[in-house]
Amino acid sequence: MFAQTNASEEGFASYYADKFHGRRTASGNRYHKNKLTAAHKTLPFDTKVKVTNLSNDSSVIVTINDRGPFAKGKIIDLSYYAAKELNFIKKGITKVRIEILSDSLNTNDTISIASSANEKKTEPPIPSYPGTYDFNFKETELSGYYIQTGAYKDSDILSEEINRLQKKIDSNNIYIEVIKIKNTIINRLLVGPFEKKNGDAEIAVLQKKGISGFLKSY
């Protein structure tokens, strides 16, 4: 049995779409829709949390193995199985309370959800291996034309830029390409996709919003 700490957080939960089944998470493990796992922005990987659906009082214990969600108002992204246990598959989103289970933490781990969100993260929010990802740092494929708005070595700066973009454009149009150049990880921030013929117009729209970049294809 796991003992609960006094660390809790309330907000909205969503769950992974089926297309993410089998893709790598930020921890390096692959997402499995029928396992009790979840994504959280700051909690250490392998932390176990109790998630309670505040609309029906059902609860489930999940293991944190991914980063996200980064959409405003959401505090946790659950596996399909966890969402099914909480009975909100049809709704797609529900208000929850999450509580850390202390036996899953190391003695040096932060046990306050609120304070961990304000501290500098010790783990990068994105994988340290090449690939392409959506704004929740879940592996995806890119196809078409995108506008690259920047390239960053520092994952904290990348997160700040993603947050800045989210205030100006739809989060679903934000992507990250992780590349490795001479043993250095570079994170390219992309907006798209667009048709090539609309590229110049889209660049102009972004420039009016204070975002600059150039067009590239995938």
Side-chain angles (χ1 to χ4, degrees):
M1 297 293 292
F2 292 94
Q4 292 179 207
T5 72
N6 60 357
S8 65
E9 182 181 17
E10 291 188 5
F12 287 94
S14 54
Y15 66 92
Y16 288 73
D18 285 345
K19 68 179 182 179
F20 294 112
H21 181 70
R23 295 184 182 180
R24 289 194 183 277
T25 64
S27 67
N29 297 324
R30 292 190 181 276
Y31 166 66
H32 195 295
K33 63 182 291 185
N34 292 321
K35 290 185 177 181
L36 294 174
T37 59
H40 190 274
K41 289 188 283 290
T42 59
L43 287 175
F45 295 138
D46 295 326
T47 300
K48 293 188 182 297
V49 298
K50 178 182 178 182
V51 184
T52 301
N53 186 342
L54 296 180
S55 68
N56 59 21
D57 288 328
S58 60
S59 62
V60 68
I61 295 174
V62 298
T63 301
I64 302 299
N65 73 341
D66 202 4
R67 287 288 173 251
F70 293 94
K72 186 176 181 180
K74 294 182 182 179
I75 61 171
I76 196 166
D77 208 6
L78 299 166
S79 66
Y80 173 86
Y81 184 31
K84 185 177 180 181
E85 290 292 293
L86 294 178
N87 196 26
F88 74 96
I89 293 295
K90 289 185 178 180
K91 289 175 60 178
I93 187 171
T94 192
K95 191 169 186 180
V96 299
R97 179 175 60 251
I98 65 175
E99 300 163 279
I100 299 174
L101 302 179
S102 61
D103 290 5
S104 68
L105 292 169
N106 295 321
T107 55
N108 293 326
D109 283 335
T110 302
I111 63 172
S112 168
I113 296 175
S115 63
S116 66
N118 294 324
E119 293 177 356
K120 185 177 177 64
K121 297 184 286 294
T122 58
E123 295 172 309
I126 60 173
S128 58
Y129 45 83
T132 51
Y133 306 86
D134 66 12
F135 78 102
N136 273 327
F137 304 122
K138 294 182 177 63
E139 203 168 8
T140 190
E141 293 183 5
L142 300 184
S143 178
Y145 287 82
Y146 296 77
I147 297 170
Q148 181 175 320
T149 64
Y152 310 93
K153 295 180 182 179
D154 190 310
S155 59
D156 287 334
I157 295 177
L158 174 66
S159 295
E160 291 175 3
E161 287 301 309
I162 290 174
N163 290 334
R164 184 175 73 89
L165 282 180
Q166 284 181 304
K167 296 176 182 178
K168 299 181 178 182
I169 64 173
D170 187 339
S171 297
N172 292 318
N173 293 126
I174 300 173
Y175 295 88
I176 302 95
E177 180 185 22
V178 181
I179 62 172
K180 193 172 186 179
I181 301 176
K182 294 182 179 180
N183 295 320
T184 299
I185 293 295
I186 304 294
N187 307 298
R188 292 172 173 168
L189 190 54
L190 308 168
V191 175
F194 309 108
E195 292 185 19
K196 184 178 181 180
K197 64 181 180 181
N198 297 330
D200 291 340
E202 294 294 345
I203 289 176
V205 170
L206 290 180
Q207 286 177 337
K208 290 181 180 179
K209 296 180 179 181
I211 304 167
S212 60
F214 59 90
L215 196 66
K216 59 188 304 182
S217 63
Y218 289 86

